[in-house]
Amino acid sequence: MNVPVPTGQVSPLHEVNPAKDWTPKSWQKFPALQQANYPDQEALSAALEKLGELPPLVTSWEILALREQIAEAQNGKRFVLQGGDCAESFDEVCSPLITNRLKVLLQMSLALIHGLQMPVVRIGRFAGQYAKPRSSDMETRNGVTLPSYRGDLVNSVEFTEKTRIPDPERLLQAHAYSAMTMNFVRSLVDGGFADVHHTEYWDLSWLEHSPLADEFHKLTESLGKSLRFMETITGRDVGSLRRVDFFTSHEALHLPYEQAQTRQVPRQWGWFNLGTHFPWIGMRTADLDGAHVEYFRGIRNPIGIKVGPGISRDWLAGLLEKLNPGREPGRIVLIHRMGEANIEDKLPGLINAVHDTGSPVLWISDPMHGNTESTGDGIKTRRFRKIMREMELAFDVHRAHDSRLGGVHLELTGENVTECTGGARDLSDEDLKRDYKSTVDPRLNYEQSLEMAMLIVQKHARNAS
Ligand code: PEP
Ligand code: CO
């Protein structure tokens, strides 16, 4: 994805802090939560063997380049924008959906670059975000009990006995769909995506409905002007001026799938997960003595850790010690997802605990997962107001504790779905019935996503003044 080669400042070619007593399968000796239960073990082994032979989806060079960019973000020189679907689905691997998702992420990143006056690291929740943690192994509907849907990597959302049984063939399909997605994203990004760089082509009709319409108009006007200015002085389209970096990420939940894509490469030491640039550990699988932490310990990718309100200071410090014993820059991103009601109470102690370890981390805010609720009709939603409030509090709490918020992690889509309420158009609970597409968590739609990017810019400016 047009990724620059690393300069070698972060991860030298010679061995540094290799994980002791680790192999890509050493996780198997530890308790693994949230795994699929395959009735046909032979078919599973055959699929994993095949998966282990397929070409990788990313390269070690790209992974190391991302580590360097994260290290720069840790020093306040870059801001991270991570976003995409809660769960991708095989049915949605198609041109318009991928194009629109990329477009909204690029537009958001341009607003952030302009507003924050720093480069943005773009990381998609895509090309592999196919496995989901569930609160229960089984689901019962009208007296029928079947395995829960665990993402398209494992089974189908359709509630029939046949489609809910974990199917190993899906592991190969997920790899193929991820490869198709990456291939298309790489081409789009290489092509420059010309219209994204012209704010006059952006759909900004929602601005009129925002209480901040004037401020947002000023922001888009000055962004448009600066993009045009760049074009005028260089005589070239902005899209072709600078290479667009795009990285991929997913929750590395399904450990056999991740193991099969964990490889060594020529002229590099250690092991890389070559199925994605940036895998993260979900909140439900971050046990210090669990299989996921064991797996992540040995790969050289930069890694994310979801940090929820239930994590203690010692637990978090223990994770840093285990996952980054050499205190290497660019290795750890802590993605806090507290909920707007908890963040002021829970985050300060964790910031202090991390500070006491002396371990370098990048803190980013996921204002989505702690703010999920059900409407009176039982529809899962998130209120824009609460998402915005958690994001704003995240900036403030870090600032008040001698720390820095270095990015955001959002569930979003480029479509005009109605899954989260509020935003400039003030979507209501009734609106959720109109265009609700997600099979898992509710996402910000195109307009709400752009609005969130502008609110981040605005918050940043207020804090700086
Ligand atoms: C997610 O990111 O979709 C998710 C399940 O998050 P968490 O682990 O923070 O609950
Ligand atoms: Co989610």
Side-chain angles (χ1 to χ4, degrees):
M1 317 204 159
N2 244 338
V3 177
V5 286
T7 60
Q9 280 165 15
V10 165
S11 299
L13 291 174
H14 61 271
E15 267 187 57
V16 179
N17 303 310
K20 301 256 177 344
D21 305 319
W22 183 93
T23 68
K25 62 175 186 184
S26 54
W27 63 267
Q28 293 177 10
K29 295 193 289 262
F30 296 79
L33 300 180
Q34 298 285 345
Q35 301 302 290
N37 216 339
Y38 291 94
D40 187 345
Q41 286 292 313
E42 251 173 58
L44 175 64
S45 303
L48 290 171
E49 192 176 326
K50 178 72 194 154
L51 191 59
E53 289 161 3
L54 291 174
L57 298 172
V58 303
T59 67
S60 62
W61 291 104
E62 293 169 346
I63 290 169
L64 293 177
L66 176 60
R67 269 188 76 143
E68 289 190 357
Q69 294 194 13
I70 290 174
E72 287 172 17
Q74 285 172 348
N75 293 328
K77 305 252 161 49
R78 287 177 185 268
F79 192 78
V80 169
L81 171 63
Q82 184 180 16
D85 287 322
C86 179
E88 293 176 279
S89 76
F90 295 168
D91 284 348
E92 289 185 353
V93 178
C94 62
S95 165
L97 290 178
I98 296 174
T99 309
N100 288 342
R101 189 171 48 204
L102 205 63
K103 197 180 260 184
V104 71
L105 282 167
L106 280 172
Q107 290 178 348
M108 290 168 79
S109 71
L110 288 177
L112 291 170
I113 291 167
H114 178 74
L116 309 185
Q117 292 288 304
M118 67 171 94
V120 166
V121 188
R122 306 174 186 91
I123 307 177
R125 272 179 73 115
F126 57 55
Q129 178 52 17
Y130 287 118
K132 294 309 296 173
R134 302 317 301 230
S135 47
S136 159
D137 278 350
M138 305 301 280
E139 181 182 345
T140 302
R141 286 190 204 173
N142 303 324
V144 180
T145 301
L146 295 174
S148 293
Y149 171 58
R150 291 193 168 276
D152 278 11
L153 184 69
V154 174
N155 54 6
S156 162
V157 71
E158 198 190 335
F159 193 77
T160 70
E161 192 171 347
K162 187 161 178 292
T163 51
R164 280 293 173 94
I165 292 173
D167 175 3
E169 269 304 302
R170 287 179 165 270
L171 300 169
L172 297 168
Q173 287 170 345
H175 180 273
Y177 281 120
S178 299
M180 281 179 243
T181 304
M182 299 216 37
N183 183 52
F184 190 45
V185 168
R186 286 185 198 269
S187 313
L188 287 171
V189 162
D190 283 352
F193 239 136
D195 61 339
V196 166
H197 298 89
H198 290 261
T199 47
E200 59 273 28
Y201 298 148
W202 295 17
D203 180 1
L204 295 173
S205 49
W206 58 274
L207 276 184
E208 309 309 326
H209 303 274
S210 168
L212 298 170
D214 285 350
E215 288 172 57
F216 287 168
H217 269 304
K218 276 188 208 131
L219 173 69
T220 49
E221 262 166 39
S222 75
L223 168 61
K225 264 190 211 146
S226 75
L227 292 171
R228 279 194 298 280
F229 178 68
M230 293 275 282
E231 273 186 21
T232 313
I233 54 170
T234 60
R236 283 155 60 204
D237 168 53
V238 182
S240 63
L241 290 180
R242 210 159 13 98
R243 300 194 302 182
V244 179
D245 301 348
F246 232 107
F247 298 97
T248 63
S249 68
H250 66 250
E251 179 175 350
L253 183 69
H254 190 294
L255 292 173
Y257 180 76
E258 304 301 334
Q259 180 192 322
Q261 298 184 77
T262 303
R263 320 256 172 100
Q264 285 177 303
V265 298
R267 288 178 293 286
Q268 274 290 353
W269 65 273
W271 295 82
F272 292 86
N273 181 328
L274 297 179
T276 189
H277 298 113
F278 180 58
W280 79 82
I281 307 180
M283 190 188 71
R284 292 161 193 77
T285 49
D287 286 1
L288 264 174
D289 299 317
H292 289 80
V293 170
E294 171 61 18
Y295 168 75
F296 274 81
R297 188 170 74 84
I299 55 172
R300 289 188 63 200
N301 302 56
I303 61 178
I305 307 171
K306 287 289 199 92
V307 176
I311 202 164
S312 67
R313 297 168 186 219
D314 287 351
W315 180 357
L316 187 54
L319 285 170
L320 296 184
E321 184 53 38
K322 212 160 200 172
L323 294 166
N324 193 17
R327 299 179 183 185
E328 295 171 48
R331 161 76 169 162
I332 303 275
V333 180
L334 296 179
I335 309 167
H336 52 74
R337 32 88 81 226
M338 297 292 168
E340 57 104 31
N342 292 323
I343 184 166
E344 285 172 292
D345 183 30
K346 302 282 181 184
L347 190 56
L350 296 173
I351 292 175
N352 292 337
V354 170
H355 193 258
D356 290 348
T357 66
S359 200
V361 303
L362 178 71
W363 287 102
I364 75 176
S365 162
D366 165 359
M368 311 296 292
H369 285 89
N371 294 311
T372 315
E373 57 187 86
S374 278
T375 65
D377 293 331
I379 304 174
K380 210 175 179 189
T381 192
R382 290 165 174 155
R383 316 283 181 202
F384 190 89
R385 184 177 41 77
K386 290 191 178 177
I387 298 169
M388 177 183 94
R389 177 96 183 116
E390 178 162 355
M391 179 274 291
E392 292 185 341
L393 286 171
F395 275 103
D396 293 342
V397 173
H398 279 283
R399 206 160 83 125
H401 292 85
D402 209 13
S403 174
R404 187 188 308 109
L405 185 72
V408 286
H409 176 118
L410 300 169
E411 284 186 343
L412 55 82
T413 171
E415 309 304 303
N416 273 325
V417 298
T418 56
E419 297 173 4
C420 294
T421 60
R425 284 192 201 272
D426 201 16
L427 296 183
S428 66
D429 284 6
E430 236 359 79
D431 290 319
L432 299 180
K433 296 178 185 151
R434 203 175 60 236
D435 237 322
Y436 196 106
K437 301 260 172 61
S438 175
T439 52
V440 270
D441 290 341
R443 304 158 295 177
L444 297 174
N445 64 21
Y446 172 81
E447 298 180 344
Q448 291 168 327
S449 302
L450 272 188
E451 187 175 359
M452 191 55 68
M454 292 187 193
L455 286 165
I456 292 168
V457 167
Q458 210 207 23
K459 177 67 185 163
H460 190 264
R462 258 186 306 179
N463 277 8
S465 63

